[in-house]
């Protein structure tokens, strides 16, 4: 079962927000630009550099940006950074967080946005200067936190990546893969949809059919995911799983149309886990299937969408009497 919504007939020619540019024929990720939060403290105008992957803001001394504002929570909000994407997340604060006067829980920041936290106003400024040491500071925890925070903006997919990670690890174990592979496959499951960071919420939450432009945005997320993670050497082994997790065993998938065992095994595992969790979760465009219905669908798609060996392992996990 291909869980991508069908496109409608109207082409919507809106501008795509992509961080990729080109040198010759090869796409590459733009260099990381510096950014700051500018705010006033005791009548002084202060800049705070967003030069680490996560910046927690609050009045606690444990916050990265500690502000003496009693209307703030101890850890009130955080900025998540990956390349030139900056996201603001409210950390269940007691007084909330606003951007440009609108209360938010999670959103992508744009140059000159005004953030109100407690009684302190911050202005987000993205600079032209390049941050050459950014990649050295990025770590797995930061990337995983971003992936989970990005999916949390969609109530229909909250928890999806963690569930895909757990199912993928379980499948790999049932299939007898070496124990050293299991944790790496789990990480691939967590990060498989990180490329959706560039997909607008209006597309992710759309209840009707996607137009061709919107469908293109959705189908680019494996490519964007690979390009986001490519600079990180410690994630090199999971890139094929992120890039190929929407391929089909019969060659009808994307982004490359690989078929059969030419699709990397980890990607075939994540694909089945992703398909199962998508089918058994409510989405804006359809209700969830039951465990039994999803199991039948996995069997039906064996050899077409799904690798038969992985589908068989999923059948063993979903067999009557097994916890699901």
């Amino acid at each position: 079962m291909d869980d991508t919504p069908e496109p409608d007939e109207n082409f919507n020619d809106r501008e795509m927000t992509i961080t990729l540019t080109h040198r010759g024929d090869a796409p590459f990720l733009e260099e990381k630009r510096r950014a700051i939060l500018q705010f006033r403290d005791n009548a002084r105008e202060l800049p705070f550099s967003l030069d680490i992957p996560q910046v927690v803001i609050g009045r606690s001394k444990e916050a990265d940006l500690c502000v003496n504002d009693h209307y703030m929570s101890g850890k009130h909000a955080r900025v998540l950074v990956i390349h030139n994407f900056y996201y603001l997340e409210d950390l269940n604060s007691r007084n909330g967080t606003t951007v440009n006067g609108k209360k938010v829980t999670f959103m992508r920041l744009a140059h000159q946005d005004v953030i109100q936290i407690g009684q302190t106003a911050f202005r987000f400024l993205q600079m032209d200067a390049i941050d050459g040491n950014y990649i050295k500071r990025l770590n797995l925890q930061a990337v995983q936190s971003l992936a989970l925070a990005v999916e949390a903006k969609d109530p229909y997919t909250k928890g999806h990546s963690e569930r895909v990670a757990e199912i993928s690890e379980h499948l790999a174990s049932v299939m007898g893969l070496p124990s050293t592979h299991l944790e790496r496959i789990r990480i691939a499951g967590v990060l498989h949809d990180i490329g959706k960071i560039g997909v607008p919420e209006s597309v992710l939450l759309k209840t009707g059919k996607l137009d061709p432009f919107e469908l293109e945005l959705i189908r680019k997320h494996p490519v964007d995911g690979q390009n986001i993670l490519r600079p990180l050497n410690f994630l090199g082994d999971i890139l094929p799983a992120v890039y190929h997790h929407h391929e089909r065993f019969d060659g009808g998938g994307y982004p490359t149309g690989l078929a059969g065992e030419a699709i990397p095994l980890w990607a075939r595992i994540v694909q089945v886990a992703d398909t199962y969790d998508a089918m058994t979760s409510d989405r804006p465009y359809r209700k969830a299937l039951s465990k039994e219905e999803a199991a039948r669908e996995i069997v039906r798609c064996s050899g077409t969408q799904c690798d038969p060996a992985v589908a068989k392992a999923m059948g063993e996990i979903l067999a009557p009497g097994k916890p699901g």
Side-chain angles (χ1 to χ4, degrees):
M1 176 181 179
D2 186 346
D3 203 60
T4 304
E6 290 297 320
D8 64 27
E9 296 177 354
N10 299 316
F11 183 75
N12 190 335
D13 193 20
R14 292 185 294 270
E15 182 181 1
M16 296 172 68
T17 54
I18 302 296
T19 56
L20 297 179
T21 174
H22 287 77
R23 286 179 178 156
D25 294 329
F28 75 102
L29 205 64
E30 289 179 349
E31 292 180 287
K32 166 73 166 56
R33 293 158 54 199
R34 293 191 61 218
I36 63 170
L37 289 177
Q38 196 168 48
F39 66 105
R40 296 184 68 83
D41 184 43
N42 294 326
R44 294 178 302 158
E45 196 77 19
L46 298 175
F48 185 89
S49 183
L50 298 171
D51 58 3
I52 56 178
Q54 300 182 71
V55 175
V56 175
I57 305 167
R59 60 186 178 87
S60 167
K61 292 182 179 179
E62 296 177 358
D64 301 298
L65 175 49
C66 177
V67 181
N68 186 21
D69 181 339
H70 291 289
Y71 289 87
M72 283 190 191
S73 298
K75 293 183 179 179
H76 193 109
R78 65 175 174 174
V79 178
L80 294 160
V81 183
I82 188 163
H83 299 291
N84 290 316
F85 292 104
Y86 293 80
Y87 277 84
L88 178 70
E89 181 184 18
D90 183 83
L91 299 176
N92 298 313
S93 65
R94 67 177 185 274
N95 293 323
T97 300
T98 65
V99 176
N100 302 328
K102 181 180 178 182
K103 192 170 184 178
V104 302
T105 56
F106 184 85
M107 72 169 288
R108 183 180 172 187
L109 294 172
H111 181 59
Q112 295 283 4
D113 275 347
V114 176
I115 304 163
Q116 187 75 34
I117 301 177
Q119 292 190 325
T120 306
F122 302 83
R123 186 176 294 276
F124 172 74
L125 301 172
Q126 198 159 12
M127 323 296 283
D128 291 328
I130 300 301
D131 182 357
N133 292 318
Y134 164 73
I135 293 299
K136 297 177 183 177
R137 294 190 295 268
L138 200 60
N139 57 31
L140 178 60
Q141 182 182 8
V143 178
Q144 289 180 317
S145 294
L146 180 67
L148 298 178
V150 169
E151 79 168 24
K153 64 183 177 178
D154 179 357
Y156 291 96
T157 61
K158 189 171 184 179
H160 169 69
S161 292
E162 281 286 8
R163 293 191 299 271
V164 169
E166 291 175 7
I167 297 167
S168 297
E169 185 178 26
H170 197 173
L171 282 168
S173 178
V174 169
M175 293 175 69
L177 270 65
S179 59
T180 53
H181 290 201
L182 301 186
E183 178 60 24
R184 304 304 291 174
I185 291 173
R186 183 184 182 90
I187 293 169
V190 172
L191 300 180
H192 75 286
D193 274 345
I194 196 169
K196 286 183 177 177
I197 189 171
V199 180
E201 286 144 48
S202 60
V203 176
L204 292 175
L205 299 176
K206 188 172 181 178
T207 56
K209 290 184 177 180
L210 300 180
D211 64 42
F213 177 87
E214 293 165 337
L215 189 65
E216 181 182 358
L217 278 180
I218 290 287
R219 289 190 168 177
K220 276 190 84 280
H221 81 268
V223 178
D224 289 343
Q226 177 182 248
N227 281 302
I228 286 169
L229 301 176
R230 179 181 282 147
L232 311 178
N233 292 333
F234 62 89
L235 295 176
D237 60 332
I238 73 160
L239 288 185
V242 172
Y243 184 62
H244 292 291
H245 76 275
H246 276 292
E247 308 287 2
R248 291 172 53 106
F249 200 73
D250 62 6
Y254 61 91
T256 64
L258 289 181
E261 294 187 1
I263 305 168
L265 176 58
W266 293 7
R268 286 178 266 151
I269 290 172
V270 172
Q271 187 264 353
V272 170
D274 186 30
T275 298
Y276 174 77
D277 188 71
M279 287 192 294
T280 54
S281 303
D282 285 334
R283 291 297 169 93
Y285 46 89
R286 58 140 182 85
K287 290 293 185 181
L289 300 183
S290 68
K291 171 185 169 181
E292 293 73 23
E293 290 171 324
R296 288 195 294 270
E297 189 68 10
I298 293 287
V299 171
R300 187 183 71 81
C301 294
S302 177
T304 53
Q305 182 175 345
C306 304
D307 178 341
V310 185
K312 179 182 177 183
M314 194 75 213
E316 293 177 20
I317 293 172
L318 297 175
K322 295 285 185 70

